[in-house]
Amino acid sequence: MTRFDTVIRGGTVATAADVFRADIGIRDGVIAAIADRLGDAERVIDATGRLVLPGGIDAHVHIDQVQAPGLASAGARMADGFLSGTRSAAFGGTTCTLSFAVQHRGASLRAAVEDYHRRAEGNAFLDYSFHLVLADPRPEVLGQELPALIARGHRSLKVYMTYEAMRLSDTQILDVLEVARDQRAVVLVHAENHEIIGWLADRLERRGQTAPRFHATSRPLPVEREATHRALTLGEIAGVPLVIVHVSGAEPLEEIRRARARGVTVIAETCPQYLTLTEQDLDQPDMLGAKVMCSPPPRDTASQAACWRGIEDGTFDLFNSDHAPYRLDGEGKLRAGPNAPFRKVSNGVPGLATRLPILFSEGVVAGRISLPRFVALTAANNAAIYALDRKGRIAVGADADIAIWDPERRVTITNDLLHHEVDYTPWEGMVVTGWPERVLSRGEMIVEQGELRARPGRGRFIEQSVSSAFGPRSWS
Amino acid sequence: MTRFDTVIRGGTVATAADVFRADIGIRDGVIAAIADRLGDAERVIDATGRLVLPGGIDAHVHIDQVQAPGLASAGARMADGFLSGTRSAAFGGTTCTLSFAVQHRGASLRAAVEDYHRRAEGNAFLDYSFHLVLADPRPEVLGQELPALIARGHRSLKVYMTYEAMRLSDTQILDVLEVARDQRAVVLVHAENHEIIGWLADRLERRGQTAPRFHATSRPLPVEREATHRALTLGEIAGVPLVIVHVSGAEPLEEIRRARARGVTVIAETCPQYLTLTEQDLDQPDMLGAKVMCSPPPRDTASQAACWRGIEDGTFDLFNSDHAPYRLDGEGKLRAGPNAPFRKVSNGVPGLATRLPILFSEGVVAGRISLPRFVALTAANNAAIYALDRKGRIAVGADADIAIWDPERRVTITNDLLHHEVDYTPWEGMVVTGWPERVLSRGEMIVEQGELRARPGRGRFIEQSVSSAFGPRSWS
Amino acid sequence: MTRFDTVIRGGTVATAADVFRADIGIRDGVIAAIADRLGDAERVIDATGRLVLPGGIDAHVHIDQVQAPGLASAGARMADGFLSGTRSAAFGGTTCTLSFAVQHRGASLRAAVEDYHRRAEGNAFLDYSFHLVLADPRPEVLGQELPALIARGHRSLKVYMTYEAMRLSDTQILDVLEVARDQRAVVLVHAENHEIIGWLADRLERRGQTAPRFHATSRPLPVEREATHRALTLGEIAGVPLVIVHVSGAEPLEEIRRARARGVTVIAETCPQYLTLTEQDLDQPDMLGAKVMCSPPPRDTASQAACWRGIEDGTFDLFNSDHAPYRLDGEGKLRAGPNAPFRKVSNGVPGLATRLPILFSEGVVAGRISLPRFVALTAANNAAIYALDRKGRIAVGADADIAIWDPERRVTITNDLLHHEVDYTPWEGMVVTGWPERVLSRGEMIVEQGELRARPGRGRFIEQSVSSAFGPRSWS
Amino acid sequence: MTRFDTVIRGGTVATAADVFRADIGIRDGVIAAIADRLGDAERVIDATGRLVLPGGIDAHVHIDQVQAPGLASAGARMADGFLSGTRSAAFGGTTCTLSFAVQHRGASLRAAVEDYHRRAEGNAFLDYSFHLVLADPRPEVLGQELPALIARGHRSLKVYMTYEAMRLSDTQILDVLEVARDQRAVVLVHAENHEIIGWLADRLERRGQTAPRFHATSRPLPVEREATHRALTLGEIAGVPLVIVHVSGAEPLEEIRRARARGVTVIAETCPQYLTLTEQDLDQPDMLGAKVMCSPPPRDTASQAACWRGIEDGTFDLFNSDHAPYRLDGEGKLRAGPNAPFRKVSNGVPGLATRLPILFSEGVVAGRISLPRFVALTAANNAAIYALDRKGRIAVGADADIAIWDPERRVTITNDLLHHEVDYTPWEGMVVTGWPERVLSRGEMIVEQGELRARPGRGRFIEQSVSSAFGPRSWS
Ligand SMILES: [Zn+2]
Ligand SMILES: [Zn+2]
Ligand SMILES: [Zn+2]
Ligand SMILES: [Zn+2]
Ligand SMILES: [Zn+2]
Ligand SMILES: [Zn+2]
Ligand SMILES: [Zn+2]
Ligand SMILES: [Zn+2]
């Protein structure tokens, strides 16, 4: 066995299947050996008493998006681009992000992707890939641009059922699904019924009910249940798997279970906000509730319990942050003024750095889920579904994207620990047990001792292959 | 890195999470290294073009059981003991069995276990563990014998809801579940409503409908649905996880899904017969239908489809054979005569050697399931649920129980390939793709080139720790 | 048109289908005409401003039962026989009762029925019929006694799944169902899992938890859900309709809905206690909780809501009292002593006189149900299911069993208003709107101005024909 | 009792609750008496051996509609107006119709209603009411025209989720529902997902699959399931009851049951075509399949069974014809040519005269449903839901709209028996048992001995009061 560049020695390794003590040998940025005892190397990292996990993949991240006109967030600036976004991710134990290259109506999808590539290049600390948001699936986009992009490894698409400037009609979604089916791209769906939301919001507005908490009133669970069922019907008609992102409660989950029982392939994602926050967190004085305004909104404790059960029993496949980096200021959430009505407040919560510590502490340490399930939800399943073949695994031949956790370290979350550019975190003051101390990307130590040790731009674009949602991979 | 006893070189390794190319280094019977390239060893096995999988665990095996008086099978001889049973298992890619140490009514559980240990010792080719069948959970059994046995690593128990000499009342099951909960033993349940079966069989008998096919008529799906729901209610009341074995169709599966939605922990098993046979296979001339008489009986193609869906979508955790080795002769199935009524024909089908090839061919090769799912269903999940900590995994520190498969080899199943002592197989003539060519147990090659290369008695009893059904394992 | 004996003039008549203003003409105890305006008669009753409803049928009534040895209530005296029972019923607007002729183990069913006939004769103020409780369905009972009784118009049977001296095994229930199917008798089931109750009660007892409130702890909802599902499976196997009596919450209701979706015919009954009381009513000082101890126990407010929804949306067919007349004294509930443990307290609540006013007030006046639905639940459906062809209807040719209600009268329920021999009512102090002021039985005024105007013994036994549960009636 | 104009003597009367022998006395067009024996009258009708039922109400009838531009049926002529439509209805035992006054886009609703009144006046043989179809619910329509029409007794509205010229967006439906809720009008919904149908039809068209049978392919069950769930969500959001018309199979029925379990009020309708036809009836040579093209299309035998179960078990409230009178010629179905692609063939089947005989024969005579259930489904429930207070009942004070049936008469259906102007019936050659021989409308004999005895224009418009869907009616 030839020498290794790096050996991680003495740790407890977890994969999506197993937990065992082993040394990890890394060569040329790749995991080359997993063994009971490896000899010396250029660099030896002592992981005694530590957990050695695949670095997280955060497959639902909004960074450096230019908002389309017509959105609540139009004109609002995202505080995080690739530089600070991937920096924050790395501090939270994540080593790969999937963010969104967004087409605007009337614009070119190809140009949007090229522009987004430029935004990443020279800035990203971590490897990254993109989902393509289709806001205007006109014939030349579906017939020419999209196939060309798919051929270049852009094999995940996202469609919105709400947001004025983004949403597609059922027909448009079917058109996208048809291409996705034929070319084996995986489709993510933001499922909320746009028209119900608008109708309810109009009525709230007329009554002057515009404080942040009415954001939740304007999009109750049936809004999400309806759109989830409709999306799954469209997937059933087109004969193609779907990913339902950010599921927030029992009713949409039941739609997912029913679709599976009909034989439909559905991948389900939830996010930290649906496990830990409720609608009541929106009800704070002085627009502070705007901090936790996201869509779907956090619900109630019964919904939290339903989401936890889905985390525990395998209903959810994916756990991502839906990081949306708006500062609580006039450039961000409050662009429309310090007392903006909820419809004009940008949606979303920041979460890149907190996603893994929250699930580790509330899930693994609290005894709800096993370490392999943690790895599956946060890394391995994202790698399989979004077809990042060398990512999300501790296995021979995989990229050495690794997070070394102290499972016993207690940390009080404060915003400055998170190294993003957002000026708050919804989890300020929360005490978690377990923290990622050292993070390697392709074998390179990028975070250590609370310090960033990498240079911007080292991250590379990762091409996607075919999603496991299309069926078992061939092994040869 | 110190030298290895054995290196498996050049194969494609599958775990319950990953598939990757790697060499495996074995030392002292244990997997010591998984690496891109390992140096030479005492023995080097070329696995180029082959799959390197964890040896199967068959956790539902009847061998060398002395049948209780009052059973249909009372007096019938099981053709396979530990010698031929584990031999057949090994030829089918399995490296560990869990069979049943059966208490009879009025007898001592401890004595039954000691007797069963004696039957295994000196005979088993493979490592093995036991489930304890409780047919008489009287106070001293539950209060003294059982705790002592649990302390010695017998941590899985089985109860029957049918069979005259075995079945427990609801009260007795609750009594067992209470001990299981307090001492963290996992409980398997054979769930069929005994009284309905008897009532229906009486009526069939009166009408002279005693041919093998009426076996199925006497235990229709509602019989299994009822008992499954009742068992799950008993588990819910006692607050303890259950394993429902040999689930045969959609209705009991729905009970399992409903229980999970209520928050009840249920482990679900199915078997090859429910994926590949139907009730019509019971309808053959000359008592040949007796070959496929098992309980629950095979159902119809809709039930097969429901079971396949449960295999594919994760509803089933376990896939085992329910091997029951009765010859079709006067010592076995036809002990009550060549035209015995169905109630007097011993129940069960042989399946130790065919379990894995059938699932590999119909599941993996047919594109229904991935290799990691195959490993989970046939090995890793059995190891976790039945708490065999060193088994069922290809991971550093695990026992080197490994099967090397030729994934492309086409084999026509004939009984002589199976190396059991039963005189038939239900799958005679079935053509499968994929076959386990070489099988290692604790690093020792036991099957190679269609030859057995091990000595009887090399197999060891494996103590069980605490089942993963009781919650996530601690990693430290 | 020939003259009438009685005309009820000017009232608002309700049937199970319609509400309309009409006069009712009665001749020879039978409704002879319903018309916009009838001429004079022997007697004219002014019903202006009043509702003219079919007298209620209470089809679940325990009176003058000799308790079997082995019951909690063994030795306890029922305070009401036919005299006070039918008197109380009449004061509550009920004109027909179905109580239970109970076979004891080892005894003759025929003898039990004859004995029960004797208890009724000379005492009943109202017409009555019996359900036959089978506690010992041995061959001669099922083969000879029962068919003879069915031929004499005893066409409804009851089986218990709990109570030591009464319960039948699944096999016995199937035996009863087979006769019921072949001879078209309808079967009522008390569905609770006996063994779970006993097991839980043992554990409560060991911990000294024997106060009345632990009665509810010993029979939680899953106990009822399990037995309901099992009973419905037995009905499915035997191919015969069932009546599930006293359903107490959402879980057993879901079993009923699921069975119907499978094509099984199920009739569902609930009682006032499940709409108005909760488990907390059992938690009172000084054994006062014993007053509301019944089986199944009252549950919680969510269960009440589920039962109300079933009342409103048609899931429930029948609404009866389950009147069980034990005084709170040493001859009744406290026969085993003033601090008897819950297992030794007789089960049941008195309810003959309060059933209709409670449903009228909380159902009709509160706007939950229509008058026709009230008539269906309390009279017409009982007549159809229990095949009392001339009862429960205001229609030409039907017996003139009529209650004239003041829909606006507010009454505070007190025990002395109820005219039973029980020394309490669970609804003491409840204020209801609507009260039956005058009650006619076969055209004879029996209650008027709060006075009883009939003689004991005027009531007659009513033979049953074939239940509508066996399918639509032929009209010719 | 004063004299009657007409007495129907000696028949068996059925209401939605009861069946009994009685004479019916009619005075001034109203039922004045129901009695065991009524004296003579101007006219005495001998009904010995006959059933006396409420005349049917057909609450889903398309007659004399001017098709909106953009519909497949645009330009196609409806063969039946009020004259032939109500004539055909009367011959089939129906005495009241609810057809549709259709607003076109950009047009006035009030004007559409006035126009439709004019079309009825002078032509209708039967009393009638209208549903108002809203195709353009712009503010002045909802704010002014609709409230004024509601005030004049137009209290049922219909919205379409498909058909290019008719369909409303979710927002528009919510706008309509809001008015309906506030003013207590009941809303009917045609629930199919328009965009899926269009998308599938486009693809069929591209492949040249335009024969009638592809009509069914273009609108599979999930299309109806989706729209049904969405409609019920809109009703849930708006807090208003809905009628889902022409339900065709198990999947939309399940949505209805689920909504009810959530506490949503839903009224469900099915039609003869979903009980008796299948998709295969569309597959006939020479465009003959166009005869049974309707939307939703007939499904398969499993869907028929599901619909029958809903008829039997009470899930369906209403049974109407959805009569749509297009001839199979160049003015009707084939307006776009003798080989028109399915998208250009007018939708609908004629059914006014066959609705009741089919349900009577296949439902009542076949033993599936009782006579009261027949009356409820075909008359009484329509009267309650659509609030025609004097219709649909045999009760004192109700209009004497009565059909006298020979329950044993066997009739082979032929088109000329139906007295409509359509040139075919889908049920040509079907043999039914039971036929309405004499039909009275407000006491006037209009059909007798197969002859029409009334003059056109005698029918009157009936104002609607408040639907029972809004809760129990007050009785005073
Ligand atoms: Zn989103
Ligand atoms: Zn997002
Ligand atoms: Zn078994
Ligand atoms: Zn077995
Ligand atoms: Zn009872
Ligand atoms: Zn009772
Ligand atoms: Zn329609
Ligand atoms: Zn229509």
Side-chain angles (χ1 to χ4, degrees), chain A residues 150-278:
Chain A
I150 288 173
R152 277 188 269 152
H154 289 289
R155 304 191 77 97
S156 62
L157 318 177
K158 183 172 181 187
V159 297
Y160 283 84
M161 297 174 83
T162 186
Y163 296 135
E164 195 50 49
M166 310 281 276
R167 73 181 182 115
L168 303 189
S169 69
D170 291 358
T171 303
Q172 288 175 312
I173 293 173
L174 285 167
D175 287 342
V176 172
L177 295 184
E178 188 176 40
V179 177
R181 178 194 65 206
D182 292 346
Q183 313 225 4
R184 294 195 296 165
V186 68
V187 180
L188 299 80
V189 184
H190 177 127
E192 290 184 297
N193 183 302
H194 181 73
E195 300 195 29
I196 300 179
I197 295 167
W199 190 84
L200 287 172
D202 283 350
R203 272 137 196 84
L204 291 164
E205 221 166 51
R206 284 187 211 155
R207 294 197 292 266
Q209 296 176 321
T210 62
R213 69 191 163 97
F214 294 107
H215 171 73
T217 317
S218 74
R219 42 215 321 150
L221 263 172
V223 162
E224 186 182 347
R225 185 193 72 223
E226 190 288 315
T228 302
H229 177 256
R230 184 153 42 98
L232 294 171
T233 301
L234 297 175
E236 188 178 350
I237 291 287
V240 66
L242 295 182
V243 181
I244 304 294
V245 298
H246 49 48
V247 174
S248 75
E251 297 198 24
L253 262 182
E254 188 189 344
E255 294 308 315
I256 288 166
R257 290 191 178 104
R258 290 205 309 149
R260 286 174 177 161
R262 289 196 296 271
V264 174
T265 302
V266 197
I267 313 301
E269 177 201 82
T270 193
C271 310
Q273 38 275 32
Y274 306 112
L275 298 179
T276 57
L277 306 177
T278 71

Side-chain angles (χ1 to χ4, degrees), chain B residues 275-310:
Chain B
L275 298 179
T276 57
L277 305 177
T278 71
E279 197 177 328
Q280 297 194 332
D281 293 302
L282 287 163
D283 192 10
Q284 300 180 43
D286 297 332
M287 292 300 283
L288 291 177
K291 287 181 178 178
V292 291
M293 275 181 60
C294 55
S295 295
R299 309 288 184 185
D300 56 14
T301 53
S303 294
Q304 286 182 353
C307 289
W308 271 118
R309 199 167 318 139

Side-chain angles (χ1 to χ4, degrees), chain C residues 92 271-273 275-277 308 319 350-351 353-366 368-369 374 378 405 413 425-428 430-436:
Chain C
C271 310
Q273 39 275 34
L275 298 179
T276 57
L277 305 177
W308 271 118
F319 183 76
T354 40
R355 174 181 71 120
L356 297 182
I358 287 172
L359 186 65
F360 190 92
S361 185
E362 295 293 312
V364 178
V365 177
R368 285 172 167 131
I369 58 171
F374 176 84
T378 60
W405 287 65
I413 292 174
T425 168
W427 294 280
E428 185 77 29
M430 181 180 186
V431 179
V432 292
T433 300
W435 199 260

Side-chain angles (χ1 to χ4, degrees), chain C residues 1 16-21 27 32-38 51 261 309 364 367-371 393 395-396 407 472 475, chain D residues 1 16-21 27 32-38 51 261 309 364 367 369-371 393 395-396 407 472 475:
Chain C
M1 196 183 288
D18 293 303
V19 183
F20 51 91
R21 307 214 167 211
R27 191 187 313 114
I34 306 165
D36 56 353
R37 172 77 193 167
L38 292 173
L51 295 176
R309 200 168 318 139
V364 178
R368 285 172 167 131
I369 58 171
S370 67
L371 267 179
R393 302 180 296 138
V396 172
W475 60 83
Chain D
M1 196 181 289
D18 293 304
V19 182
F20 50 90
R21 306 213 168 212
R27 191 187 313 112
I34 306 165
D36 56 353
R37 171 79 193 166
L38 293 174
L51 295 176
R309 199 167 317 138
V364 178
I369 58 172
S370 67
L371 268 180
R393 303 180 295 140
V396 172
W475 60 83

Side-chain angles (χ1 to χ4, degrees), chain B residues 456-467:
Chain B
R458 64 166 294 285
R460 298 176 191 156
F461 173 72
I462 310 291
E463 290 189 17
Q464 299 170 285
S465 65
V466 175
S467 171

